[in-house]
Amino acid sequence: MGKASRDKRDIYYRKAKEEGWRARSAFKLLQIDEEFNIFEGVKHVVDLCAAPGSWSQVLSRKLYLPAKLSTDSKDQDLPLIVAIDLQPMAPIEGVIQVQGDITNARTAEVVIRHFDGCKADLVVCDGAPDVTGLHDMDEFVQSQLILAGLTIVTHILKNGGKFIAKIFRGKDTSLLYCQLKLFFTEVTLAKPKSSRNSSIEAFAVCENYSPPEGFSEKDLHRLLEKVGTPSGADDLGISFLTIFILHARTILTNTL
Ligand SMILES: C[S@@+](CC[C@H](N)C(=O)[O-])C[C@H]1O[C@@H](n2cnc3c(N)ncnc32)[C@H](O)[C@@H]1O
């Protein structure tokens, strides 16, 4: 069966059309929220890799529009939602859009500037590379997106904040889990029912941001700058792992 006819038989595809979501992915975020209550108390959010915009629509409908409709809400109290993607997307009420590559340190700086010193409560990242079918390569590129997301997280997420990131399940999933555990006290791998069983995607739901003592967000930022240069790409794996291993050691030394 072709992709188009498979899509038309898909319940979430049809539901998305009926409810005016730009993509069926909206249900993944809605179902993650049903399970983990990720929107509670959230006022400042970043949506990384947001196009065509169904997650941003969820953020707008769940956070921005209710606040706007509440009679006593002043402009400065309205939620701040910043969405970023390589692709342009049609406007969504209450969502500030930035077009750029999240693995580029300059783009991360633009997002950070929108926050103007205040912190985000939630960062979501549904980023996916153009899948090549070469599993190791796809997993590697996906891990670069997670690293970029984590870099932005370390600059703008408040302590106690949440990070939701799409991952590709593979041989390095437990390593990734341990790496995320260095920054968050709770990490759960979720597979919402709207995520197709045939897909290797899952979502890391990271709660209670608490970076290791002595961690400087500049470490990851420098790494991202390095990834942006052709010679830096070669040692990405080593540098990424080195940073995490050093911090893992610090944590282990402190707890033993
Ligand atoms: C699965 S789609 C996101 C769907 C979106 N969450 C929604 O609900 O509409 C993945 C997106 O990741 C974006 N992307 C991939 N690599 C990126 C990068 N390096 N920087 C910014 N966006 C990127 C792609 O352009 C694509 O729009």
PDB file of all heavy atoms in Angstrom, residues 3 18 20 31 35-36 40 55 70 73 81 89 97 101 114 125-126 128 148 172 175 189 192 210 218 232 247 251 255:
ATOM      1  N   LYS A   3       2.068   5.292   0.542  1.00  0.00           N
ATOM      2  CA  LYS A   3       2.027   6.110   1.756  1.00  0.00           C
ATOM      3  C   LYS A   3       0.724   6.907   1.829  1.00  0.00           C
ATOM      4  O   LYS A   3       0.089   6.985   2.875  1.00  0.00           O
ATOM      5  CB  LYS A   3       3.238   7.039   1.787  1.00  0.00           C
ATOM      6  CG  LYS A   3       3.313   7.851   3.056  1.00  0.00           C
ATOM      7  CD  LYS A   3       4.597   8.644   3.120  1.00  0.00           C
ATOM      8  CE  LYS A   3       4.671   9.458   4.396  1.00  0.00           C
ATOM      9  NZ  LYS A   3       3.555  10.355   4.625  1.00  0.00           N
ATOM     10  N   GLU A  18      -9.769  16.777  10.702  1.00  0.00           N
ATOM     11  CA  GLU A  18     -11.041  17.251  11.281  1.00  0.00           C
ATOM     12  C   GLU A  18     -10.825  18.394  12.271  1.00  0.00           C
ATOM     13  O   GLU A  18     -11.574  19.351  12.325  1.00  0.00           O
ATOM     14  CB  GLU A  18     -11.727  16.112  12.048  1.00  0.00           C
ATOM     15  CG  GLU A  18     -12.520  15.151  11.187  1.00  0.00           C
ATOM     16  CD  GLU A  18     -12.755  13.825  11.921  1.00  0.00           C
ATOM     17  OE1 GLU A  18     -12.789  13.821  13.183  1.00  0.00           O
ATOM     18  OE2 GLU A  18     -12.881  12.814  11.214  1.00  0.00           O
ATOM     19  N   GLY A  20      -8.208  20.389  12.551  1.00  0.00           N
ATOM     20  CA  GLY A  20      -7.429  21.526  12.056  1.00  0.00           C
ATOM     21  C   GLY A  20      -5.971  21.539  12.509  1.00  0.00           C
ATOM     22  O   GLY A  20      -5.344  22.600  12.593  1.00  0.00           O
ATOM     23  N   GLN A  31      -0.733  13.517  23.692  1.00  0.00           N
ATOM     24  CA  GLN A  31      -0.740  12.283  24.494  1.00  0.00           C
ATOM     25  C   GLN A  31       0.401  12.271  25.512  1.00  0.00           C
ATOM     26  O   GLN A  31       0.248  11.742  26.611  1.00  0.00           O
ATOM     27  CB  GLN A  31      -0.675  11.059  23.563  1.00  0.00           C
ATOM     28  CG  GLN A  31      -1.995  10.830  22.847  1.00  0.00           C
ATOM     29  CD  GLN A  31      -1.916   9.922  21.633  1.00  0.00           C
ATOM     30  OE1 GLN A  31      -0.842   9.404  21.290  1.00  0.00           O
ATOM     31  NE2 GLN A  31      -3.046   9.735  20.962  1.00  0.00           N
ATOM     32  N   GLU A  35      -0.168  12.006  29.645  1.00  0.00           N
ATOM     33  CA  GLU A  35       0.534  11.069  30.533  1.00  0.00           C
ATOM     34  C   GLU A  35       1.415  11.778  31.561  1.00  0.00           C
ATOM     35  O   GLU A  35       1.521  11.340  32.693  1.00  0.00           O
ATOM     36  CB  GLU A  35       1.373  10.126  29.668  1.00  0.00           C
ATOM     37  CG  GLU A  35       1.853   8.907  30.419  1.00  0.00           C
ATOM     38  CD  GLU A  35       2.612   7.913  29.534  1.00  0.00           C
ATOM     39  OE1 GLU A  35       2.514   8.004  28.289  1.00  0.00           O
ATOM     40  OE2 GLU A  35       3.311   7.061  30.108  1.00  0.00           O
ATOM     41  N   PHE A  36       2.032  12.905  31.168  1.00  0.00           N
ATOM     42  CA  PHE A  36       3.050  13.510  32.045  1.00  0.00           C
ATOM     43  C   PHE A  36       2.691  14.929  32.517  1.00  0.00           C
ATOM     44  O   PHE A  36       3.464  15.548  33.222  1.00  0.00           O
ATOM     45  CB  PHE A  36       4.405  13.552  31.323  1.00  0.00           C
ATOM     46  CG  PHE A  36       4.952  12.200  30.995  1.00  0.00           C
ATOM     47  CD1 PHE A  36       4.695  11.604  29.769  1.00  0.00           C
ATOM     48  CD2 PHE A  36       5.711  11.496  31.929  1.00  0.00           C
ATOM     49  CE1 PHE A  36       5.180  10.346  29.461  1.00  0.00           C
ATOM     50  CE2 PHE A  36       6.216  10.231  31.629  1.00  0.00           C
ATOM     51  CZ  PHE A  36       5.947   9.658  30.388  1.00  0.00           C
ATOM     52  N   GLU A  40       1.630  21.911  32.788  1.00  0.00           N
ATOM     53  CA  GLU A  40       1.217  22.526  34.050  1.00  0.00           C
ATOM     54  C   GLU A  40       2.186  23.649  34.450  1.00  0.00           C
ATOM     55  O   GLU A  40       3.409  23.450  34.538  1.00  0.00           O
ATOM     56  CB  GLU A  40       1.172  21.474  35.161  1.00  0.00           C
ATOM     57  CG  GLU A  40       0.472  22.011  36.378  1.00  0.00           C
ATOM     58  CD  GLU A  40       0.422  21.001  37.517  1.00  0.00           C
ATOM     59  OE1 GLU A  40       0.986  19.903  37.387  1.00  0.00           O
ATOM     60  OE2 GLU A  40      -0.164  21.366  38.540  1.00  0.00           O
ATOM     61  N   TRP A  55       2.929  21.028  16.620  1.00  0.00           N
ATOM     62  CA  TRP A  55       3.248  21.137  18.062  1.00  0.00           C
ATOM     63  C   TRP A  55       3.076  22.596  18.507  1.00  0.00           C
ATOM     64  O   TRP A  55       2.593  22.860  19.600  1.00  0.00           O
ATOM     65  CB  TRP A  55       4.676  20.648  18.352  1.00  0.00           C
ATOM     66  CG  TRP A  55       4.786  19.147  18.431  1.00  0.00           C
ATOM     67  CD1 TRP A  55       3.974  18.246  17.798  1.00  0.00           C
ATOM     68  CD2 TRP A  55       5.739  18.378  19.180  1.00  0.00           C
ATOM     69  NE1 TRP A  55       4.383  16.965  18.100  1.00  0.00           N
ATOM     70  CE2 TRP A  55       5.448  17.010  18.926  1.00  0.00           C
ATOM     71  CE3 TRP A  55       6.813  18.689  19.995  1.00  0.00           C
ATOM     72  CZ2 TRP A  55       6.199  15.967  19.499  1.00  0.00           C
ATOM     73  CZ3 TRP A  55       7.562  17.656  20.571  1.00  0.00           C
ATOM     74  CH2 TRP A  55       7.247  16.315  20.317  1.00  0.00           C
ATOM     75  N   SER A  70      -8.598  34.838  28.884  1.00  0.00           N
ATOM     76  CA  SER A  70      -8.945  35.151  30.273  1.00  0.00           C
ATOM     77  C   SER A  70      -8.919  36.680  30.442  1.00  0.00           C
ATOM     78  O   SER A  70      -7.969  37.353  30.039  1.00  0.00           O
ATOM     79  CB  SER A  70      -7.995  34.452  31.251  1.00  0.00           C
ATOM     80  OG  SER A  70      -6.912  35.259  31.526  1.00  0.00           O
ATOM     81  N   SER A  73      -5.932  38.964  31.815  1.00  0.00           N
ATOM     82  CA  SER A  73      -4.557  38.745  31.351  1.00  0.00           C
ATOM     83  C   SER A  73      -4.014  39.973  30.620  1.00  0.00           C
ATOM     84  O   SER A  73      -4.576  40.426  29.634  1.00  0.00           O
ATOM     85  CB  SER A  73      -4.568  37.534  30.425  1.00  0.00           C
ATOM     86  OG  SER A  73      -3.317  37.028  30.310  1.00  0.00           O
ATOM     87  N   ILE A  81       6.023  31.876  23.341  1.00  0.00           N
ATOM     88  CA  ILE A  81       6.288  30.618  22.609  1.00  0.00           C
ATOM     89  C   ILE A  81       7.206  30.953  21.436  1.00  0.00           C
ATOM     90  O   ILE A  81       6.844  31.758  20.577  1.00  0.00           O
ATOM     91  CB  ILE A  81       4.975  29.989  22.087  1.00  0.00           C
ATOM     92  CG1 ILE A  81       3.982  29.759  23.244  1.00  0.00           C
ATOM     93  CG2 ILE A  81       5.250  28.689  21.357  1.00  0.00           C
ATOM     94  CD1 ILE A  81       2.557  29.425  22.773  1.00  0.00           C
ATOM     95  N   MET A  89       7.273  28.527   8.216  1.00  0.00           N
ATOM     96  CA  MET A  89       5.929  27.961   8.404  1.00  0.00           C
ATOM     97  C   MET A  89       4.892  29.070   8.502  1.00  0.00           C
ATOM     98  O   MET A  89       5.225  30.207   8.856  1.00  0.00           O
ATOM     99  CB  MET A  89       5.878  26.991   9.586  1.00  0.00           C
ATOM    100  CG  MET A  89       6.270  27.528  10.917  1.00  0.00           C
ATOM    101  SD  MET A  89       6.272  26.185  12.135  1.00  0.00           S
ATOM    102  CE  MET A  89       6.000  27.126  13.624  1.00  0.00           C
ATOM    103  N   GLN A  97       8.291  33.115  15.394  1.00  0.00           N
ATOM    104  CA  GLN A  97       9.013  32.131  14.581  1.00  0.00           C
ATOM    105  C   GLN A  97      10.429  32.576  14.256  1.00  0.00           C
ATOM    106  O   GLN A  97      10.664  33.749  13.948  1.00  0.00           O
ATOM    107  CB  GLN A  97       8.258  31.922  13.280  1.00  0.00           C
ATOM    108  CG  GLN A  97       6.939  31.230  13.492  1.00  0.00           C
ATOM    109  CD  GLN A  97       6.263  30.903  12.180  1.00  0.00           C
ATOM    110  OE1 GLN A  97       6.919  30.674  11.171  1.00  0.00           O
ATOM    111  NE2 GLN A  97       4.950  30.887  12.192  1.00  0.00           N
ATOM    112  N   ASP A 101      18.930  26.851  11.557  1.00  0.00           N
ATOM    113  CA  ASP A 101      19.413  25.506  11.844  1.00  0.00           C
ATOM    114  C   ASP A 101      19.760  25.440  13.335  1.00  0.00           C
ATOM    115  O   ASP A 101      20.626  26.186  13.802  1.00  0.00           O
ATOM    116  CB  ASP A 101      20.663  25.274  10.977  1.00  0.00           C
ATOM    117  CG  ASP A 101      21.283  23.913  11.193  1.00  0.00           C
ATOM    118  OD1 ASP A 101      20.917  23.219  12.161  1.00  0.00           O
ATOM    119  OD2 ASP A 101      22.152  23.545  10.373  1.00  0.00           O
ATOM    120  N   HIS A 114      15.604  35.954  22.377  1.00  0.00           N
ATOM    121  CA  HIS A 114      14.155  36.190  22.511  1.00  0.00           C
ATOM    122  C   HIS A 114      13.719  36.084  23.961  1.00  0.00           C
ATOM    123  O   HIS A 114      12.704  36.628  24.351  1.00  0.00           O
ATOM    124  CB  HIS A 114      13.354  35.195  21.672  1.00  0.00           C
ATOM    125  CG  HIS A 114      13.173  35.661  20.262  1.00  0.00           C
ATOM    126  ND1 HIS A 114      12.369  36.733  19.937  1.00  0.00           N
ATOM    127  CD2 HIS A 114      13.706  35.220  19.106  1.00  0.00           C
ATOM    128  CE1 HIS A 114      12.415  36.918  18.632  1.00  0.00           C
ATOM    129  NE2 HIS A 114      13.221  36.021  18.104  1.00  0.00           N
ATOM    130  N   CYS A 125      11.352  19.257  21.391  1.00  0.00           N
ATOM    131  CA  CYS A 125      12.131  19.088  20.156  1.00  0.00           C
ATOM    132  C   CYS A 125      11.656  17.840  19.423  1.00  0.00           C
ATOM    133  O   CYS A 125      11.874  16.725  19.897  1.00  0.00           O
ATOM    134  CB  CYS A 125      13.621  18.986  20.500  1.00  0.00           C
ATOM    135  SG  CYS A 125      14.645  18.751  19.039  1.00  0.00           S
ATOM    136  N   ASP A 126      11.009  18.052  18.291  1.00  0.00           N
ATOM    137  CA  ASP A 126      10.497  16.932  17.486  1.00  0.00           C
ATOM    138  C   ASP A 126      11.350  16.787  16.233  1.00  0.00           C
ATOM    139  O   ASP A 126      10.895  16.312  15.204  1.00  0.00           O
ATOM    140  CB  ASP A 126       9.025  17.233  17.132  1.00  0.00           C
ATOM    141  CG  ASP A 126       8.319  16.049  16.496  1.00  0.00           C
ATOM    142  OD1 ASP A 126       8.703  14.902  16.772  1.00  0.00           O
ATOM    143  OD2 ASP A 126       7.373  16.281  15.714  1.00  0.00           O
ATOM    144  N   ALA A 128      13.809  15.890  13.257  1.00  0.00           N
ATOM    145  CA  ALA A 128      14.190  14.648  12.598  1.00  0.00           C
ATOM    146  C   ALA A 128      14.943  15.011  11.330  1.00  0.00           C
ATOM    147  O   ALA A 128      14.531  15.906  10.598  1.00  0.00           O
ATOM    148  CB  ALA A 128      12.949  13.838  12.263  1.00  0.00           C
ATOM    149  N   ALA A 148      22.039  19.715  20.068  1.00  0.00           N
ATOM    150  CA  ALA A 148      21.700  21.127  19.840  1.00  0.00           C
ATOM    151  C   ALA A 148      20.564  21.544  20.765  1.00  0.00           C
ATOM    152  O   ALA A 148      20.593  22.621  21.366  1.00  0.00           O
ATOM    153  CB  ALA A 148      21.307  21.332  18.383  1.00  0.00           C
ATOM    154  N   ASP A 172      22.409   2.839  20.913  1.00  0.00           N
ATOM    155  CA  ASP A 172      22.936   3.830  21.849  1.00  0.00           C
ATOM    156  C   ASP A 172      21.867   4.444  22.750  1.00  0.00           C
ATOM    157  O   ASP A 172      22.120   5.424  23.443  1.00  0.00           O
ATOM    158  CB  ASP A 172      23.653   4.953  21.076  1.00  0.00           C
ATOM    159  CG  ASP A 172      24.930   4.434  20.441  1.00  0.00           C
ATOM    160  OD1 ASP A 172      25.524   3.503  21.010  1.00  0.00           O
ATOM    161  OD2 ASP A 172      25.306   4.936  19.369  1.00  0.00           O
ATOM    162  N   LEU A 175      22.825   4.700  26.410  1.00  0.00           N
ATOM    163  CA  LEU A 175      23.852   5.729  26.621  1.00  0.00           C
ATOM    164  C   LEU A 175      23.196   7.111  26.638  1.00  0.00           C
ATOM    165  O   LEU A 175      23.450   7.932  27.536  1.00  0.00           O
ATOM    166  CB  LEU A 175      24.897   5.652  25.502  1.00  0.00           C
ATOM    167  CG  LEU A 175      25.985   6.716  25.518  1.00  0.00           C
ATOM    168  CD1 LEU A 175      26.835   6.593  26.785  1.00  0.00           C
ATOM    169  CD2 LEU A 175      26.880   6.600  24.288  1.00  0.00           C
ATOM    170  N   LEU A 189      11.329   7.177  28.804  1.00  0.00           N
ATOM    171  CA  LEU A 189      11.156   7.042  27.353  1.00  0.00           C
ATOM    172  C   LEU A 189       9.699   6.693  27.068  1.00  0.00           C
ATOM    173  O   LEU A 189       9.191   5.688  27.568  1.00  0.00           O
ATOM    174  CB  LEU A 189      12.091   5.970  26.795  1.00  0.00           C
ATOM    175  CG  LEU A 189      13.591   6.270  26.922  1.00  0.00           C
ATOM    176  CD1 LEU A 189      14.431   5.252  26.181  1.00  0.00           C
ATOM    177  CD2 LEU A 189      13.939   7.686  26.422  1.00  0.00           C
ATOM    178  N   PRO A 192       4.013   7.444  22.636  1.00  0.00           N
ATOM    179  CA  PRO A 192       2.582   7.727  22.589  1.00  0.00           C
ATOM    180  C   PRO A 192       1.887   6.840  21.558  1.00  0.00           C
ATOM    181  O   PRO A 192       2.509   6.444  20.573  1.00  0.00           O
ATOM    182  CB  PRO A 192       2.521   9.203  22.168  1.00  0.00           C
ATOM    183  CG  PRO A 192       3.904   9.654  21.924  1.00  0.00           C
ATOM    184  CD  PRO A 192       4.858   8.573  22.264  1.00  0.00           C
ATOM    185  N   SER A 210      18.243  19.735  36.435  1.00  0.00           N
ATOM    186  CA  SER A 210      19.190  20.112  37.493  1.00  0.00           C
ATOM    187  C   SER A 210      20.585  19.703  37.026  1.00  0.00           C
ATOM    188  O   SER A 210      21.001  18.560  37.225  1.00  0.00           O
ATOM    189  CB  SER A 210      18.830  19.486  38.841  1.00  0.00           C
ATOM    190  OG  SER A 210      18.609  18.125  38.700  1.00  0.00           O
ATOM    191  N   LYS A 218      28.526  26.921  28.748  1.00  0.00           N
ATOM    192  CA  LYS A 218      29.440  27.283  27.649  1.00  0.00           C
ATOM    193  C   LYS A 218      30.107  26.030  27.072  1.00  0.00           C
ATOM    194  O   LYS A 218      30.501  26.017  25.926  1.00  0.00           O
ATOM    195  CB  LYS A 218      30.500  28.251  28.156  1.00  0.00           C
ATOM    196  CG  LYS A 218      29.923  29.595  28.521  1.00  0.00           C
ATOM    197  CD  LYS A 218      31.005  30.665  28.611  1.00  0.00           C
ATOM    198  CE  LYS A 218      30.431  31.992  29.002  1.00  0.00           C
ATOM    199  NZ  LYS A 218      30.038  32.041  30.430  1.00  0.00           N
ATOM    200  N   GLY A 232      35.503  20.450  12.797  1.00  0.00           N
ATOM    201  CA  GLY A 232      34.953  20.097  14.100  1.00  0.00           C
ATOM    202  C   GLY A 232      34.042  18.887  14.038  1.00  0.00           C
ATOM    203  O   GLY A 232      33.884  18.169  15.017  1.00  0.00           O
ATOM    204  N   HIS A 247      31.449  14.611  33.245  1.00  0.00           N
ATOM    205  CA  HIS A 247      30.419  14.959  34.229  1.00  0.00           C
ATOM    206  C   HIS A 247      29.904  13.724  34.944  1.00  0.00           C
ATOM    207  O   HIS A 247      29.599  13.767  36.126  1.00  0.00           O
ATOM    208  CB  HIS A 247      29.297  15.743  33.570  1.00  0.00           C
ATOM    209  CG  HIS A 247      29.701  17.155  33.336  1.00  0.00           C
ATOM    210  ND1 HIS A 247      29.950  18.018  34.378  1.00  0.00           N
ATOM    211  CD2 HIS A 247      29.977  17.833  32.209  1.00  0.00           C
ATOM    212  CE1 HIS A 247      30.336  19.180  33.873  1.00  0.00           C
ATOM    213  NE2 HIS A 247      30.364  19.087  32.574  1.00  0.00           N
ATOM    214  N   ILE A 251      29.811  13.239  38.980  1.00  0.00           N
ATOM    215  CA  ILE A 251      28.627  12.835  39.740  1.00  0.00           C
ATOM    216  C   ILE A 251      28.939  11.580  40.558  1.00  0.00           C
ATOM    217  O   ILE A 251      28.664  11.498  41.740  1.00  0.00           O
ATOM    218  CB  ILE A 251      27.449  12.572  38.793  1.00  0.00           C
ATOM    219  CG1 ILE A 251      26.897  13.916  38.335  1.00  0.00           C
ATOM    220  CG2 ILE A 251      26.337  11.789  39.474  1.00  0.00           C
ATOM    221  CD1 ILE A 251      25.743  13.796  37.401  1.00  0.00           C
ATOM    222  N   THR A 255      28.866  11.048  44.570  1.00  0.00           N
ATOM    223  CA  THR A 255      27.861  10.217  45.254  1.00  0.00           C
ATOM    224  C   THR A 255      28.488   9.020  45.960  1.00  0.00           C
ATOM    225  O   THR A 255      27.901   8.484  46.884  1.00  0.00           O
ATOM    226  CB  THR A 255      26.793   9.687  44.265  1.00  0.00           C
ATOM    227  OG1 THR A 255      27.445   9.339  43.072  1.00  0.00           O
ATOM    228  CG2 THR A 255      25.704  10.678  44.006  1.00  0.00           C
TER     229      THR A 255
END
